[in-house]
Amino acid sequence: MRKLAFTLSLLAAAPVLAHQGADQNQIAQPALASGAIRHAPLGVMGDHVHNTGEWMFSYRYMRMEMDGNLDGSDSISPAEITGTMMNPGPYMVAPLKMTMEMHMLGAMYAPSDTLTLMAMLPLLNKSMDLRSRMGAEFTTETDGVGDVSLAALLSVYQAADKSAGVHLNLGVSLPTGSIDERDDTPAMANAKLPYGMQLGSGTYDLKPGVTYQAYSAQYNWGAQALATLRSGENDNDYRLGNRYELSAWLARSWSSALSGGLRIKHSSWADIHGADPDLNPMMVPTADTRAQGGERSELLISANYLFRAGALKNHRLALEYGVPIYQELDGPQMEMQDSLTLGWQYAL
């Protein structure tokens, strides 16, 4: 863990050092990047402020696959989770596989050069395959609106030549997503589903952060730190754990229309406080508040394509694909396999 933390700190510092180097070479290479390279990887939310009066509309499709379970960093089999009727394990049901999909609709507007307002509406679909101690396999599903996010991006620094900038991400998440989702299981019809299958947090959550981004003629690099801070308890007597994320990226321009990049992201999140009285923590690990926290590092590859002319001018298509390179989970907890984000943006 010390090595991981040291590596992440170097990644976070790298953009600043790189920008210092870019300043020293400004005379030899005065031109700044333009086109697709002006955008960070698609998975970086709220990566830049806009010019006064500018609008941007966006759509993102995000998909994450989970398969298997970890206890700490060690794999644990479904049989170890449930045991048998003659030799019971700690839980009666084991999660096998989970797919989470999100359609994110977004809008941004800049009333000034230093302030950009942002709103995001998520539409979620979650599906989980499970196996009982008796060997019966079944699937539960939920879908609907998630928690709406509102944010202000406040510029606090911009280089005179616009080669670098820092802005604050000041957001709040509204409890618009359901925390009372139900589905049929072998044990009960219309059963309350565990925490990870719900659509929202049930609380008003603060989402502070800071973003640094810089450019040279061919490169875009930056770092972003974000947090999700929960407030109070929801109507079901619990509060999700706080979440923290740190990203650093480097992207290269291949043409004015096309760029590609690499990003590393580290996330950590805490266990749940309180408990939903309708959930039995001995039924399945996803209903156990002590098996919800953890941390994960991911390596992601991205591409941006910006239409520069014609009917689709200023439309941007982008993708980002990631895999975990480190996971340490309060377990048993489902293990992430990969993630994919596809997106469209249009600025006017």
Side-chain angles (χ1 to χ4, degrees):
M1 279 306 301
R2 291 181 179 177
K3 290 182 179 179
L4 178 64
F6 179 68
T7 301
L8 288 169
S9 66
L10 288 179
L11 282 169
V16 178
L17 297 175
H19 179 59
Q20 291 174 349
D23 286 343
Q24 295 170 2
N25 296 326
Q26 197 67 44
I27 296 177
Q29 192 178 35
L32 294 179
S34 63
I37 194 61
R38 297 293 293 184
H39 295 271
L42 181 62
V44 182
M45 305 296 290
D47 65 304
H48 65 283
V49 297
H50 289 264
N51 297 323
T52 300
E54 188 174 64
W55 284 88
M56 189 179 79
F57 301 96
S58 64
Y59 164 77
R60 286 177 172 86
Y61 168 77
M62 291 169 266
R63 180 185 179 96
M64 183 168 67
E65 296 281 353
M66 295 183 170
D67 195 349
N69 293 271
L70 293 178
D71 190 355
S73 57
D74 299 323
S75 295
I76 181 170
S77 69
E80 292 176 284
I81 294 174
T82 63
T84 65
M85 294 301 294
M86 298 300 295
N87 185 24
Y91 301 94
M92 291 178 275
V93 174
L96 303 176
K97 183 177 180 179
M98 182 174 184
T99 300
M100 294 189 291
E101 295 180 295
M102 178 187 297
H103 302 271
M104 178 77 80
L105 304 176
M108 303 177 76
Y109 173 71
S112 72
D113 285 347
T114 59
L115 177 64
T116 296
L117 304 177
M118 180 171 65
M120 292 178 289
L121 170 66
L123 305 174
L124 303 173
N125 179 275
K126 300 183 179 184
S127 175
M128 181 179 288
D129 298 334
L130 306 103
R131 180 184 299 153
S132 72
R133 185 177 291 161
M134 297 290 290
E137 295 192 4
F138 61 100
T139 300
T140 58
E141 296 186 32
T142 57
D143 64 84
V145 175
D147 287 346
V148 170
S149 292
L150 304 175
L153 310 182
L154 180 63
S155 177
V156 293
Y157 166 75
Q158 188 172 89
D161 61 359
K162 297 187 177 181
S163 62
V166 177
H167 67 264
L168 301 180
N169 302 66
L170 306 173
V172 61
S173 177
L174 309 179
T176 53
S178 169
I179 57 171
D180 293 302
E181 292 298 293
R182 296 175 176 270
D183 201 357
D184 295 338
T185 71
M188 180 187 300
N190 199 35
K192 171 71 77 67
L193 294 179
Y195 305 104
M197 292 296 291
Q198 298 301 325
L199 302 175
S201 68
T203 55
Y204 290 89
D205 304 327
L206 299 179
K207 305 184 77 171
V210 60
T211 303
Y212 169 88
Q213 190 165 196
Y215 313 91
S216 67
Q218 283 190 307
Y219 293 95
N220 172 329
W221 61 93
Q224 183 182 73
L226 298 174
T228 301
L229 308 177
R230 317 292 182 179
S231 63
E233 287 188 345
N234 59 32
D235 292 340
N236 290 338
D237 300 328
Y238 68 88
R239 180 178 78 246
L240 298 180
N242 291 339
R243 186 178 186 93
Y244 306 92
E245 293 184 4
L246 174 65
S247 283
W249 69 88
L250 175 66
R252 186 187 190 279
S253 174
W254 300 105
S255 71
S256 62
L258 180 64
S259 67
L262 291 173
R263 180 165 71 106
I264 187 168
K265 179 175 77 169
H266 184 74
S267 307
S268 65
W269 58 97
D271 284 328
I272 292 173
H273 299 265
D276 187 328
D278 292 334
L279 296 176
N280 177 1
M282 298 180 66
M283 177 63 70
V284 61
T286 51
D288 187 347
T289 59
R290 301 167 301 173
Q292 306 296 322
E295 55 183 315
R296 177 186 297 122
S297 296
E298 302 167 57
L299 180 64
L300 304 104
I301 185 171
S302 62
N304 291 326
Y305 186 84
L306 180 67
F307 291 89
R308 302 283 285 166
L312 295 178
K313 183 179 180 180
N314 294 330
H315 289 258
R316 172 194 173 213
L317 300 178
L319 64 85
E320 187 174 50
Y321 176 78
V323 294
I325 55 177
Y326 169 82
Q327 296 185 82
E328 179 82 22
L329 308 178
D330 296 346
Q333 190 176 155
M334 298 209 73
E335 176 181 6
M336 176 186 171
Q337 297 299 312
D338 60 10
S339 66
L340 173 67
T341 303
L342 303 173
W344 161 86
Q345 293 178 330
Y346 175 60
L348 71 159

